[in-house]
Amino acid sequence: MINKKLVNTGATLALALAITVPALLPTAAASKDNSKIEFVKFNGMKAPSTIDEMVKTYTTATVDVKYSNGKVKTFPLSYNYLFKSEDKVATVKGEKIPAGTPIDVNGNPIVDPSSTDGKYFVSDAPDSNSLLMPIDGKLYMVTHYEYQTIDASGQSAYGLVPASMSLTEMEQDKKTGELKPANVKKIDFSAVNGLWIPCNGSLSPWNTHLGSEEYEPDARQFADPTSKTRSQVETFAQFYFGDKAKANPYFYGYTPEITVAKNGKASVVKHYSTGRFSHELAKVMPDNKTVIYGDDGGNTGMFMYVADKAKDLSAGTLYAAKFKQTGTENGGSGDLEWINLGHATDKEVKNIIDSGITFNDIFETSDVPKEGFTAIKQYSYGKTEYLKLKPGKEKAAAFLETRRYAAMLGATTEFNKMEGVALNEKDKKVYIAISDQSKSMEKDSTGKDPADHIQLPKIKAGVTYQLDLQGGQKDSGGKVIDSSYVAPSMHGLVVGEDLPKADAYGNTANVDKVANPDNLSYSEAMRTLFIGEDSGAHTNNFVWSYNVDTKELQRILSVPAGAEATGLFAADDRNGFSYIFSNFQHPGDEVDSKSITAVNKDELVKAVDEQIGINKTGGIGYISGIPSLTKYNNGKYQKDLEIDNKGK
């Protein structure tokens, strides 16, 4: 997610990264008498109240475990750091470099030209983590480095520097489950023209990592050689290719898929047939064909992809949703009508890109309403535009200008800050985070917008929505959609609460409720939805657990003031151990602009800068102490958890 304000201050000092592991793990307690776990309940922590707490990434939450012998035991959770993005743990061409350093098309670390001593860029924004299922007996984790907030001179570098991902091979303690990075490598994106702003991601059912490229560069603005978009994409190309003439906005805005081979080597493809928009995350349904997406930004859409073949996202049909509002209670609700945008293969779309196509090859434009032109409003352009599709350009429009084309066909492009997506497979439900329900999701009081499908209450703290999935659904043209996982409706589930004025800690939303939900991850075994915040409304962002049966919401992690909680990933079973991964990015951001009286704000900012470094680094780690959800038996892992979170 883009920062609204960039902070430039002070030097970075080392952050002590203490690793603690509970003395007695829930698995050990269960193994003494072969009892089975019947249910798991999280007990939350208080919000941080001191400067020391506000600077740390920590948890004081606990988990209650009830066993089949009737006993209930409580275990403390702890946060374990793996590394920071500034730590020199990644190996590139025999050199140890910071984990968050991007590499160019030739695999060389990219030097920050504003650095006086030739240092490399280091992203302060680690995001998505996928801990893959074991591959040839080894555990690997893919991590995103979303963007570079500032350069060495303190100037904004957002969206100018090529992004990156790392592949970490893990060492796992066989007794405690503790993870340590054995080696870290940078993933090569040269086959797909580099990586653009990778936000969240997911693990596919076939054990590959599905990444993202959000805030796709606007191709219409790029056509203007004096525009900021042209300058941005050319700067990116200069850093990555060493040649700004290779700049092309249509290279970016897709779903990258990373496959790790048995030898530990990662390979990358981009799925151009999944459409080009502000990909926040792609979540695959249990049929291994249907994919539901978040589209981040203002005036965005909701998209679905149905692949031709299971476990293969290289060809399929793309759909966009039209929202038909049905209510405003508990955040809001609406029916969803799915509009077929077209079918394509990755190869077909890539060939269109490689032909040198431009925005003006796809659309005619008008500055005023005109017969034959459709008025739309969507994120990348930001204002009403009047478009007419040129003959024979339907496929190019559908897959290179997906949001524009969807709006022209009547789909809704009024969502605001659509973020994470998570799947509850057993109940056939999907959860989607709307981080900030305002602006385009409110009623258009001016009457000037081209459409006003969404007229929901303003909730700056956001809403997490639930989508119920069904089969036998038809698209807007009456054709049956080839999927059993189509959402005909959505309704609010977890709703934030805005405050009339900031509290003493600078919070503008209720600190005991989720504010600005972003990352979502669901544990099937624990029947729990985990929610990570990207909140300017909370001075410290949190990770929450929400039990879908009991509806209990508990705070289970706090990250440093001004930082975003990212990389949320619940792993129910990795060699018999369970983890909740969560990172932090851009610590200290915007804290100096908050109204804070409960503690000395200047001392807080100073502490963040001295102990971590404001907008200089991010942390990658996980919550441990989660009960093991499997039992090892004769060399096979068997499900050993029959959860009744209602405790009945």
Side-chain angles (χ1 to χ4, degrees):
M1 177 179 191
I2 190 170
N3 297 308
K4 291 172 284 186
K5 177 171 169 288
L6 303 179
V7 181
N8 173 26
T9 181
T12 302
L13 297 180
L15 174 65
L17 305 179
I19 294 180
T20 59
V21 178
L24 181 62
L25 294 176
T27 90
S31 65
K32 289 183 178 180
D33 58 8
N34 294 319
S35 297
K36 293 184 178 182
I37 297 173
E38 288 193 344
F39 72 87
V40 173
K41 177 181 179 296
F42 287 90
N43 305 301
M45 58 185 282
K46 294 181 179 179
S49 60
T50 66
I51 289 177
D52 180 58
E53 291 175 339
M54 295 174 75
V55 172
K56 295 190 300 184
T57 301
Y58 77 103
T59 179
T60 58
T62 62
V63 60
D64 289 342
V65 181
K66 181 181 179 182
Y67 299 97
S68 56
N69 61 11
K71 293 182 179 179
V72 177
K73 295 191 176 184
T74 301
F75 299 89
L77 302 180
S78 61
Y79 186 75
N80 298 344
Y81 271 104
L82 292 168
F83 51 85
K84 296 174 298 181
S85 58
E86 68 179 354
D87 290 343
K88 292 183 177 181
V89 295
T91 303
V92 172
K93 296 185 175 181
E95 178 187 1
K96 287 290 186 181
I97 67 169
T101 293
I103 57 175
D104 65 17
V105 69
N106 298 311
N108 298 314
I110 300 177
V111 174
D112 181 347
S114 72
S115 171
T116 57
D117 51 3
K119 289 185 177 179
Y120 302 138
F121 281 115
V122 180
S123 169
D124 62 321
D127 205 298
S128 174
N129 298 309
S130 279
L131 184 65
L132 278 62
M133 298 299 290
I135 297 173
D136 200 26
K138 296 181 179 180
L139 281 179
Y140 296 95
M141 179 179 71
V142 176
T143 300
H144 292 186
Y145 301 90
E146 187 177 359
Y147 56 80
Q148 182 89 28
T149 300
I150 55 176
D151 62 17
S153 69
Q155 298 301 306
S156 173
Y158 182 86
L160 302 176
V161 182
S164 69
M165 296 186 193
S166 64
L167 179 67
T168 302
E169 181 183 339
M170 294 288 191
E171 291 180 354
Q172 183 185 46
D173 189 293
K174 293 182 180 179
K175 293 183 179 180
T176 67
E178 180 185 342
L179 298 174
K180 291 183 179 179
N183 63 71
V184 182
K185 298 178 181 177
K186 302 301 293 189
I187 297 176
D188 179 11
F189 279 80
S190 61
V192 293
N193 297 305
L195 179 65
W196 182 277
I197 311 180
C199 195
N200 209 341
S202 69
L203 182 65
S204 76
W206 52 93
N207 205 33
T208 61
H209 174 77
L210 298 176
S212 58
E213 290 184 306
E214 71 172 0
Y215 303 139
E216 80 286 1
D218 186 78
R220 180 176 182 177
Q221 294 171 332
F222 179 84
D224 177 0
T226 66
S227 70
K228 290 183 179 179
T229 300
R230 172 66 73 90
S231 176
Q232 179 189 24
V233 182
E234 287 185 342
T235 300
F236 182 103
Q238 185 65 46
F239 278 129
Y240 191 72
F241 299 108
D243 182 0
K244 71 176 185 178
K246 293 185 178 181
N248 186 341
Y250 288 139
F251 285 165
Y252 312 107
Y254 308 98
T255 300
E257 182 173 14
I258 292 83
T259 301
V260 179
K262 287 185 178 181
N263 62 4
K265 185 176 180 180
S267 58
V268 181
V269 297
K270 280 186 184 178
H271 290 302
Y272 302 101
S273 63
T274 62
R276 180 175 175 271
F277 48 91
S278 184
H279 283 264
E280 169 76 18
L281 179 147
K283 186 63 181 177
V284 182
M285 299 299 103
D287 62 355
N288 294 327
K289 292 174 55 179
T290 307
V291 191
I292 297 178
Y293 300 92
D295 183 17
D296 198 358
N299 279 101
T300 58
M302 181 182 294
F303 299 97
M304 175 178 67
Y305 180 82
V306 181
D308 293 350
K309 299 178 182 179
K311 303 182 181 181
D312 182 357
L313 304 183
S314 66
T317 304
L318 188 59
Y319 298 85
K322 182 175 183 179
F323 182 87
K324 298 180 178 180
Q325 189 164 312
T326 56
T328 59
E329 293 184 0
N330 199 44
S333 59
D335 292 333
L336 299 173
E337 179 183 37
W338 292 95
I339 298 172
N340 186 328
L341 303 183
H343 177 278
T345 67
D346 286 349
K347 185 177 181 179
E348 286 176 325
V349 181
K350 182 65 162 53
N351 286 341
I352 294 172
I353 298 169
D354 290 344
S355 73
I357 196 169
T358 67
F359 173 86
N360 292 323
D361 294 327
I362 303 172
F363 298 109
E364 293 182 46
T365 64
S366 174
D367 294 331
V368 296
K370 188 176 180 181
E371 185 178 354
F373 287 70
T374 303
I376 68 163
K377 188 176 182 180
Q378 58 84 37
Y379 168 71
S380 70
Y381 198 64
K383 57 185 178 180
T384 299
E385 50 188 334
Y386 305 92
L387 303 178
K388 182 179 180 180
L389 186 66
K390 291 187 175 181
K393 298 300 181 182
E394 289 82 3
K395 187 159 290 189
F399 296 93
L400 299 184
E401 294 289 349
T402 304
R403 199 185 304 106
R404 280 187 167 104
Y405 189 58
M408 292 177 71
L409 295 184
T412 299
T413 54
E414 298 167 34
F415 293 99
N416 188 66
K417 297 304 300 171
M418 182 185 292
E419 305 274 0
V421 184
L423 167 69
N424 173 345
E425 181 175 349
K426 180 181 177 181
D427 298 337
K428 292 191 73 171
K429 299 181 188 300
V430 155
Y431 308 106
I432 290 184
I434 296 294
S435 185
D436 177 355
Q437 186 163 291
S438 65
K439 301 176 182 177
S440 56
M441 293 186 73
E442 298 177 71
K443 180 178 175 60
D444 172 27
S445 59
T446 68
K448 295 180 180 180
D449 284 345
D452 196 19
H453 300 164
I454 305 179
Q455 302 179 21
L456 292 176
K458 180 180 181 179
I459 306 173
K460 292 288 294 179
V463 181
T464 300
Y465 280 85
Q466 176 178 299
L467 286 66
D468 299 322
L469 307 175
Q470 298 179 13
Q473 299 297 299
K474 296 180 180 180
D475 64 22
S476 59
K479 185 178 180 180
V480 175
I481 300 173
D482 184 23
S483 171
S484 297
Y485 295 91
V486 179
S489 63
M490 60 188 291
H491 64 271
L493 182 69
V494 181
V495 183
E497 180 186 343
D498 299 323
L499 298 177
K501 63 177 182 178
D503 66 15
Y505 286 91
N507 300 303
T508 58
N510 188 334
V511 75
D512 292 321
K513 294 185 179 181
V514 178
N516 307 122
D518 190 323
N519 283 198
L520 301 179
S521 188
Y522 182 75
S523 167
E524 290 284 345
M526 290 186 281
R527 301 281 295 165
T528 298
L529 176 66
F530 297 100
I531 305 172
E533 296 181 338
D534 176 14
S535 178
H538 283 169
T539 298
N540 286 86
N541 281 328
F542 309 119
V543 173
W544 303 81
S545 69
Y546 176 80
N547 186 289
V548 298
D549 296 317
T550 66
K551 314 300 181 187
E552 288 187 5
L553 181 69
Q554 301 288 346
R555 181 190 296 109
I556 63 170
L557 184 73
S558 177
V559 300
E564 175 184 346
T566 60
L568 185 61
F569 181 83
D572 282 345
D573 174 20
R574 296 298 183 272
N575 296 327
F577 294 96
S578 307
Y579 309 94
I580 303 172
F581 283 80
S582 185
N583 305 334
F584 71 81
Q585 62 176 225
H586 57 74
D589 190 50
E590 298 185 345
V591 174
D592 64 344
S593 65
K594 287 184 172 291
S595 175
I596 300 174
T597 58
V599 299
N600 186 304
K601 185 173 71 174
D602 292 339
E603 289 298 318
L604 173 61
V605 172
K606 180 181 178 182
V608 173
D609 194 33
E610 290 182 346
Q611 295 182 42
I612 309 174
I614 293 176
N615 289 323
K616 298 293 181 63
T617 190
I620 297 97
Y622 64 94
I623 300 171
S624 67
I626 308 300
S628 174
L629 309 178
T630 57
K631 183 174 69 175
Y632 188 75
N633 183 22
N634 296 325
K636 295 182 180 180
Y637 291 101
Q638 303 292 338
K639 287 293 180 184
D640 190 30
L641 184 63
E642 298 173 359
I643 290 184
D644 173 10
N645 276 299
K646 297 178 182 178
K648 298 180 181 178

